[in-house]
Amino acid sequence: FPRYHLTNRPATPTDTLLEAKEIAESFGLKYIYIGNTNLRDVANTYCPECSRLVIERSGMAALKVAITKDKDSKYSLCPHCGERLNVVW
């Protein structure tokens, strides 16, 4: 998003951002986010195994965090299915 020294350029079109997200996901990337938009659900984190919401975001704030810690390790887990998540919280 154009800010600071790059104010002479237009914002990247929403369709381009969504296409880039789809391409990244088609290559197997699991945690793809689109920021600085008013698009719904593109900044949230979903479990790659069960697809349930684990972190809900709005702007730079986390509104809801549903992550558990494995008691025997430092890993974050999905509270719904137990999948190990590559998030640090």
Side-chain angles (χ1 to χ4, degrees), residues 3 10 19 22 27 41-42 46 50-54 59 62 64-65 73 77 80:
R3 287 282 188 255
E19 182 180 0
E22 287 178 19
F27 278 94
D41 298 326
V42 296
Y46 296 89
C50 71
S51 301
R52 306 249 329 246
L53 179 68
V54 292
K64 175 183 174 184
V65 178
S73 69
L77 303 173
H80 309 290

Tab-separated table of all heavy atoms in Angstrom, residues 3 10 19 22 27 41-42 46 50-54 59 62 64-65 73 77 80:
chain	number	residue	atom	x	y	z
A	3	ARG	N	2.634	4.366	0.847
A	3	ARG	CA	2.777	5.250	2.000
A	3	ARG	C	4.204	5.770	2.061
A	3	ARG	O	5.102	5.242	1.420
A	3	ARG	CB	2.476	4.521	3.312
A	3	ARG	CG	1.037	4.213	3.542
A	3	ARG	CD	0.318	5.499	4.003
A	3	ARG	NE	-1.019	5.211	4.408
A	3	ARG	CZ	-2.093	5.497	3.685
A	3	ARG	NH1	-1.971	6.053	2.506
A	3	ARG	NH2	-3.285	5.237	4.134
A	10	PRO	N	-0.339	3.901	-7.254
A	10	PRO	CA	-1.650	3.447	-6.769
A	10	PRO	C	-1.501	2.181	-5.936
A	10	PRO	O	-0.515	1.458	-6.046
A	10	PRO	CB	-2.418	3.165	-8.061
A	10	PRO	CG	-1.356	2.829	-9.049
A	10	PRO	CD	-0.161	3.666	-8.679
A	19	GLU	N	-5.488	-12.978	-6.297
A	19	GLU	CA	-4.865	-13.928	-7.210
A	19	GLU	C	-3.516	-14.400	-6.661
A	19	GLU	O	-3.201	-15.599	-6.711
A	19	GLU	CB	-4.688	-13.312	-8.593
A	19	GLU	CG	-4.099	-14.268	-9.605
A	19	GLU	CD	-3.925	-13.650	-10.983
A	19	GLU	OE1	-4.262	-12.463	-11.178
A	19	GLU	OE2	-3.445	-14.362	-11.868
A	22	GLU	N	-4.130	-16.931	-3.922
A	22	GLU	CA	-4.519	-18.230	-4.487
A	22	GLU	C	-3.311	-18.971	-5.055
A	22	GLU	O	-3.173	-20.183	-4.872
A	22	GLU	CB	-5.573	-18.046	-5.576
A	22	GLU	CG	-6.940	-17.670	-5.052
A	22	GLU	CD	-7.949	-17.443	-6.175
A	22	GLU	OE1	-7.715	-17.904	-7.313
A	22	GLU	OE2	-8.960	-16.787	-5.905
A	27	PHE	N	0.657	-23.550	-4.231
A	27	PHE	CA	2.001	-24.098	-4.082
A	27	PHE	C	2.234	-24.686	-2.693
A	27	PHE	O	3.346	-25.064	-2.352
A	27	PHE	CB	3.054	-23.026	-4.386
A	27	PHE	CG	3.314	-22.855	-5.851
A	27	PHE	CD1	2.639	-21.892	-6.582
A	27	PHE	CD2	4.218	-23.676	-6.521
A	27	PHE	CE1	2.858	-21.736	-7.937
A	27	PHE	CE2	4.449	-23.523	-7.871
A	27	PHE	CZ	3.760	-22.557	-8.587
A	41	ASP	N	-11.726	-11.714	6.087
A	41	ASP	CA	-11.111	-13.027	6.321
A	41	ASP	C	-9.746	-13.243	5.677
A	41	ASP	O	-9.237	-14.352	5.739
A	41	ASP	CB	-12.053	-14.158	5.891
A	41	ASP	CG	-13.347	-14.160	6.679
A	41	ASP	OD1	-13.311	-13.804	7.867
A	41	ASP	OD2	-14.389	-14.518	6.117
A	42	VAL	N	-9.139	-12.265	5.060
A	42	VAL	CA	-7.850	-12.502	4.392
A	42	VAL	C	-6.652	-12.244	5.301
A	42	VAL	O	-5.520	-12.534	4.926
A	42	VAL	CB	-7.708	-11.689	3.083
A	42	VAL	CG1	-8.737	-12.125	2.060
A	42	VAL	CG2	-7.784	-10.200	3.355
A	46	TYR	N	-6.082	-19.624	9.806
A	46	TYR	CA	-6.914	-20.818	9.895
A	46	TYR	C	-6.022	-22.040	10.030
A	46	TYR	O	-4.925	-22.082	9.473
A	46	TYR	CB	-7.790	-20.956	8.642
A	46	TYR	CG	-8.783	-19.826	8.512
A	46	TYR	CD1	-8.440	-18.654	7.849
A	46	TYR	CD2	-10.024	-19.913	9.099
A	46	TYR	CE1	-9.335	-17.603	7.757
A	46	TYR	CE2	-10.934	-18.874	9.009
A	46	TYR	CZ	-10.581	-17.714	8.335
A	46	TYR	OH	-11.472	-16.678	8.252
A	50	CYS	N	-7.804	-28.550	9.883
A	50	CYS	CA	-9.268	-28.586	10.023
A	50	CYS	C	-9.959	-27.334	9.488
A	50	CYS	O	-11.192	-27.259	9.489
A	50	CYS	CB	-9.654	-28.822	11.480
A	50	CYS	SG	-9.351	-27.417	12.599
A	51	SER	N	-9.192	-26.330	9.073
A	51	SER	CA	-9.707	-25.086	8.472
A	51	SER	C	-10.496	-24.208	9.437
A	51	SER	O	-11.187	-23.294	9.008
A	51	SER	CB	-10.565	-25.385	7.239
A	51	SER	OG	-9.805	-26.073	6.284
A	52	ARG	N	-10.383	-24.441	10.723
A	52	ARG	CA	-11.100	-23.615	11.694
A	52	ARG	C	-10.261	-22.374	12.031
A	52	ARG	O	-9.032	-22.399	11.998
A	52	ARG	CB	-11.387	-24.407	12.971
A	52	ARG	CG	-12.115	-25.709	12.706
A	52	ARG	CD	-13.531	-25.857	13.154
A	52	ARG	NE	-14.019	-25.204	14.302
A	52	ARG	CZ	-14.418	-25.828	15.404
A	52	ARG	NH1	-14.305	-27.136	15.521
A	52	ARG	NH2	-14.929	-25.139	16.396
A	53	LEU	N	-10.935	-21.303	12.373
A	53	LEU	CA	-10.300	-20.039	12.717
A	53	LEU	C	-9.514	-20.181	14.017
A	53	LEU	O	-10.051	-20.657	15.019
A	53	LEU	CB	-11.366	-18.952	12.875
A	53	LEU	CG	-10.900	-17.561	13.259
A	53	LEU	CD1	-10.111	-16.929	12.129
A	53	LEU	CD2	-12.093	-16.696	13.614
A	54	VAL	N	-8.234	-19.782	14.001
A	54	VAL	CA	-7.438	-19.803	15.225
A	54	VAL	C	-6.959	-18.409	15.637
A	54	VAL	O	-6.724	-18.167	16.814
A	54	VAL	CB	-6.247	-20.796	15.149
A	54	VAL	CG1	-6.755	-22.223	15.118
A	54	VAL	CG2	-5.351	-20.526	13.979
A	59	GLY	N	-7.001	-5.094	11.137
A	59	GLY	CA	-5.893	-4.150	11.086
A	59	GLY	C	-4.655	-4.790	11.694
A	59	GLY	O	-4.280	-5.895	11.339
A	62	ALA	N	-5.046	-8.346	17.017
A	62	ALA	CA	-5.622	-9.687	17.083
A	62	ALA	C	-6.861	-9.596	17.959
A	62	ALA	O	-6.783	-9.248	19.137
A	62	ALA	CB	-4.621	-10.671	17.657
A	64	LYS	N	-9.203	-12.183	18.335
A	64	LYS	CA	-9.484	-13.465	18.967
A	64	LYS	C	-8.310	-14.397	18.691
A	64	LYS	O	-7.877	-14.538	17.553
A	64	LYS	CB	-10.763	-14.063	18.378
A	64	LYS	CG	-11.096	-15.437	18.875
A	64	LYS	CD	-12.344	-15.966	18.177
A	64	LYS	CE	-12.603	-17.392	18.570
A	64	LYS	NZ	-13.744	-17.952	17.840
A	65	VAL	N	-7.807	-15.011	19.738
A	65	VAL	CA	-6.717	-15.976	19.594
A	65	VAL	C	-7.171	-17.277	20.240
A	65	VAL	O	-7.469	-17.314	21.423
A	65	VAL	CB	-5.416	-15.479	20.259
A	65	VAL	CG1	-4.323	-16.519	20.124
A	65	VAL	CG2	-4.986	-14.154	19.668
A	73	SER	N	6.202	-29.195	25.003
A	73	SER	CA	7.093	-28.534	24.047
A	73	SER	C	6.711	-27.066	23.930
A	73	SER	O	5.824	-26.588	24.614
A	73	SER	CB	7.017	-29.214	22.680
A	73	SER	OG	5.756	-28.962	22.087
A	77	LEU	N	-0.635	-25.195	19.134
A	77	LEU	CA	-1.518	-26.228	18.601
A	77	LEU	C	-2.900	-25.657	18.323
A	77	LEU	O	-3.365	-24.751	19.019
A	77	LEU	CB	-1.668	-27.386	19.600
A	77	LEU	CG	-0.400	-28.079	20.045
A	77	LEU	CD1	-0.718	-29.077	21.153
A	77	LEU	CD2	0.289	-28.755	18.879
A	80	HIS	N	-8.832	-27.123	18.199
A	80	HIS	CA	-9.934	-27.907	17.659
A	80	HIS	C	-9.503	-29.317	17.270
A	80	HIS	O	-10.220	-30.280	17.531
A	80	HIS	CB	-10.546	-27.196	16.449
A	80	HIS	CG	-10.891	-25.765	16.720
A	80	HIS	ND1	-11.914	-25.369	17.553
A	80	HIS	CD2	-10.313	-24.621	16.287
A	80	HIS	CE1	-11.959	-24.061	17.616
A	80	HIS	NE2	-11.004	-23.574	16.852
